[in-house]
Amino acid sequence: MFRFFNYCSQGRGAWLLMAFIAFMLECAALYFQHVMKLQPCVMCVYERVALLGIMVAGLIGAIAPRNMVIRWVAILIWVYSAWRGLDLAWEHTMLQLYPSPFASCDFFVNFPDWLPLQEWVPAVFEATGDCAVRQWAFLGLDMPQWLIGIFAAYLLVAIIVIISQFFPAKK
């Protein structure tokens, strides 16, 4: 199994598939926002950024997947983005399941001054909703609960890919 994952990590297809799935999840978020008129909160915007990190990792990995340095850079961005996304989705879920006046999210997104995404692309990165409000559910799970599963799956596969890097690739 590990040899197979090492083999896949050295090909463009797996990296592009990862980037494509993250892109489709971003498109779904924009559909929810602009077509279904759901208002994204600050945590939603940060979770989108984590998905963008996974998409960027997939694109970096697809540049030269046989180059070990580029592959490891992509894997590290992937792991960091999946971990941060999982952490954010968990915190967001806790805010929704256990609302409290003492625990809330920020009112405005807080990106660095050198990367003001909310000013550059406000249609995507501007938060107008409340983190504690449940706006959408599917099969009994709210959006941040679905994101816990999505980010956990990304993180689990990333850990398997990291371990597989120490096994020779399947020929």
Side-chain angles (χ1 to χ4, degrees):
M1 176 178 86
F2 290 120
R3 292 173 193 247
F4 173 75
F5 276 93
N6 188 346
Y7 173 77
C8 288
S9 74
Q10 293 183 31
R12 281 192 176 85
W15 291 104
L16 290 173
L17 178 63
M18 182 176 79
F20 177 73
I21 292 171
F23 175 74
M24 293 309 295
L25 289 168
E26 291 287 349
C27 289
L30 292 173
Y31 176 83
F32 288 131
Q33 179 181 351
H34 295 291
V35 176
M36 294 179 65
K37 302 296 183 198
L38 302 182
Q39 298 179 350
C41 66
V42 172
M43 298 293 284
C44 297
V45 170
Y46 292 155
E47 290 159 357
R48 286 182 188 180
V49 172
L51 270 174
L52 281 175
I54 292 171
M55 187 171 70
V56 166
L59 295 175
I60 290 172
I63 291 171
R66 293 203 181 272
N67 183 313
M68 189 169 40
V69 173
I70 291 177
R71 189 169 63 242
W72 274 102
V73 166
I75 289 170
L76 292 176
I77 293 171
W78 175 11
V79 168
Y80 178 75
S81 297
W83 175 257
R84 286 296 298 144
L86 181 60
D87 186 43
L88 288 164
W90 180 263
E91 184 180 343
H92 193 178
T93 298
M94 292 301 110
L95 285 173
Q96 285 189 348
L97 293 179
Y98 308 107
S100 166
F102 305 109
S104 66
C105 62
D106 297 332
F107 293 110
F108 303 103
V109 291
N110 189 15
F111 290 118
D113 290 336
W114 54 270
L115 190 66
L117 294 175
Q118 75 279 11
E119 294 173 13
W120 293 348
V121 192
V124 177
F125 297 108
E126 190 171 62
T128 56
D130 181 6
C131 294
V133 174
R134 297 167 148 185
Q135 300 182 59
W136 177 87
F138 180 67
L139 298 177
L141 297 176
D142 295 324
M143 198 168 304
Q145 292 170 325
W146 280 103
L147 286 173
I148 287 174
I150 290 167
F151 284 120
Y154 271 122
L155 188 59
L156 177 65
V157 173
I159 290 169
I160 292 171
V161 168
I162 288 172
I163 293 169
S164 74
Q165 297 306 299
F166 301 103
F167 290 82
K170 175 184 148 194
K171 296 190 183 206

